[in-house]
Amino acid sequence: MKIANPQVTLADEARAGVDEAVRSGFLDWLHQFSLTGDDGELYSVGGAILSMSLEQLDVVSLTVARGKGQARQLPESIYKVTEYPGMLYERMWRQPAGTLSIERGDDCVRVSCGPQYRVECFADHSWHFLLDSLDGTYRADLWHRPSGCPLWYGRETPSYLTQHSITYGYNWAGAVTGQIVLNGRAIRVTGLGIRERYVAVDSCAAEIGGWEDWGWVAFDEIHASLYDMRLGMKDFALYDLVTGRYYPEGKLTVAHEDWAFFRELDGFIPTTYHIAIEVADGRYEVEAHVCNATTWGATHRVPDNPVATLTYGRVTGTFTQSDGTVRVLTGGRGTMSIRQWHPYPYILPRELYADAGAKEECLNKFDTL
């Protein structure tokens, strides 16, 4: 979305309301990072403060996934089944409404929702995350430093994802550094990731149009974040770190290939993405291969609205300039959160993928999401 002044201010970081009558108010301060540890492992870490007016809850979630997997072809079948390491750690804390705290300073906004999740939003656009599961399993001290300007959902005027899904805020790709601690073992990490500042008047998953991709794919030279509602809104922001050019508009195309059955979702997911973004100065093209997938931290398992986060392993890309010069991009990373309006049909015999024991009941179904 192109807006008159795309620069982020501390007022944007602290925003806690809108002018419209709130039917299903929703606020978040979210992160989803792809990191490489000094142990050589790939880590996908995420979490959020989610303040939900309808449910009268302030919710904190933290997630950690580690490692890479692949999809396996079923014998004598056209179908593949994912064999991913999945989630290493996942936890959610439900706090009563009012737990969320927003403290405004001259050069910083401090946001917290209990001791598990604190984020300091600085005037230089860096965010400092202090995360703690409080049980000794997971801690993190991470810095997110973006470049350029973000993908805006809306600022002075809102973005209408659907007729009554009215949103403000942004998501922003950037560099990540810091440390995570898993079961007492400290790991230095570096990588890339996205953060989100989101304010919604209403949210209706039933109107997303069958499929939703929301995430980021970034390289050492170019950072990009995107939102693709398959039958509706398509939006992105691309920032060229080499030339300093910011592109908030153009044409976005996302193609899915190599579908495989993801057990935890009870549905199929794409394991290869082809992403193309055409902007004024050229064409950004990405091929990204999924190496891990997890059900999303907030809604976990929701039969009518399956949501998952896909972590990319191998990511390649180019930027073809208007004069035909091709720049090969390096250091590719990314994650993509997906939402289906209904899961694909359960055409595989459950004995091929079900673990022993009864299926867990979903305890994290929120009307807001």
Side-chain angles (χ1 to χ4, degrees):
M1 171 181 287
K2 185 176 181 179
I3 63 174
N5 179 11
Q7 292 294 327
V8 176
T9 69
L10 291 180
D12 298 314
E13 311 292 39
R15 188 172 194 167
V18 294
D19 293 334
E20 292 86 357
V22 175
R23 296 181 296 274
S24 179
F26 181 88
L27 307 173
D28 86 9
W29 290 260
L30 176 147
H31 69 285
Q32 187 65 52
F33 300 157
S34 174
L35 308 172
T36 298
D38 57 12
D39 58 357
E41 290 275 14
L42 177 67
Y43 292 88
S44 182
V45 304
I49 293 172
L50 306 171
S51 183
M52 297 181 287
S53 177
L54 183 65
E55 289 86 355
Q56 285 295 290
L57 287 174
D58 291 339
V59 175
V60 166
S61 65
L62 295 175
T63 63
V64 182
R66 179 180 63 196
K68 301 179 181 180
Q70 64 284 314
R72 174 175 60 87
Q73 185 74 52
L74 292 174
E76 300 180 1
S77 172
I78 64 172
Y79 300 112
K80 296 180 181 179
V81 175
T82 63
E83 291 185 336
Y84 295 143
M87 196 78 77
L88 180 68
Y89 176 81
E90 179 182 40
R91 182 72 189 275
M92 180 177 289
W93 293 266
R94 297 161 186 222
Q95 316 280 15
T99 305
L100 172 67
S101 171
I102 304 172
E103 299 178 3
R104 299 168 178 83
D106 292 338
D107 66 346
C108 178
V109 172
R110 294 178 176 84
V111 184
S112 64
C113 191
Q116 298 91 354
Y117 197 118
R118 290 177 290 158
V119 59
E120 300 169 318
C121 312
F122 290 94
D124 66 358
H125 306 315
S126 63
W127 275 22
H128 182 209
F129 292 88
L130 295 168
L131 314 170
D132 195 337
S133 66
L134 303 181
D135 59 3
T137 304
Y138 174 58
R139 298 198 316 275
D141 185 331
L142 300 169
W143 285 87
H144 180 273
R145 296 180 174 91
S147 299
C149 296
L151 162 55
W152 281 98
Y153 303 128
R155 198 176 186 185
E156 290 79 11
T157 58
S159 169
Y160 285 78
L161 299 183
T162 65
Q163 185 177 7
H164 63 81
S165 189
I166 306 169
T167 61
Y168 296 81
Y170 68 82
N171 66 60
W172 206 350
V176 182
T177 57
Q179 177 177 273
I180 62 175
V181 180
L182 292 169
N183 295 310
R185 184 169 68 95
I187 305 158
R188 298 299 301 178
V189 292
T190 59
L192 299 168
I194 199 172
R195 76 182 196 223
E196 180 180 66
R197 187 66 265 276
Y198 189 75
V199 180
V201 177
D202 199 355
S203 180
C204 181
E207 295 179 342
I208 66 171
W211 186 275
E212 180 184 49
D213 281 312
W214 170 87
W216 63 278
V217 182
F219 297 86
D220 295 336
E221 303 83 3
I222 292 179
H223 291 175
S225 56
L226 62 95
Y227 179 84
D228 182 13
M229 184 185 295
R230 181 47 57 103
L231 299 181
M233 182 177 175
K234 301 176 187 295
D235 216 343
F236 68 87
L238 188 150
Y239 183 76
D240 191 325
L241 280 73
V242 177
T243 65
R245 293 296 303 275
Y246 165 62
Y247 304 97
E249 59 183 355
K251 180 181 179 182
L252 167 67
T253 305
V254 179
H256 308 106
E257 294 182 359
D258 301 327
W259 293 77
F261 196 81
F262 179 33
R263 298 170 179 84
E264 290 83 350
L265 201 67
D266 263 352
F268 287 88
I269 62 170
T271 62
T272 301
Y273 272 72
H274 291 276
I275 300 169
I277 301 177
E278 297 180 25
V279 296
D281 294 332
R283 180 179 173 89
Y284 172 76
E285 294 182 271
V286 173
E287 180 175 303
H289 297 265
V290 178
C291 70
N292 200 1
T294 56
T295 49
W296 193 52
T299 49
H300 194 52
R301 296 183 182 90
V302 181
D304 286 341
N305 304 104
V307 286
T309 294
L310 315 180
T311 298
Y312 297 135
R314 181 164 57 91
V315 183
T316 58
T318 59
F319 187 82
T320 303
Q321 298 173 183
S322 300
D323 63 3
T325 303
V326 178
R327 296 164 53 193
V328 177
L329 306 176
T330 60
R333 294 175 179 271
T335 65
M336 191 70 68
S337 291
I338 62 173
R339 173 156 46 186
Q340 305 170 30
W341 169 224
H342 287 295
Y344 280 77
Y346 308 135
I347 58 179
L348 293 182
R350 191 165 181 81
E351 58 267 19
L352 287 178
Y353 61 88
D355 296 325
K359 185 177 180 180
E360 295 181 15
E361 180 186 0
C362 174
L363 300 177
N364 298 330
K365 186 171 182 177
F366 300 124
D367 291 332
T368 303
L369 296 174

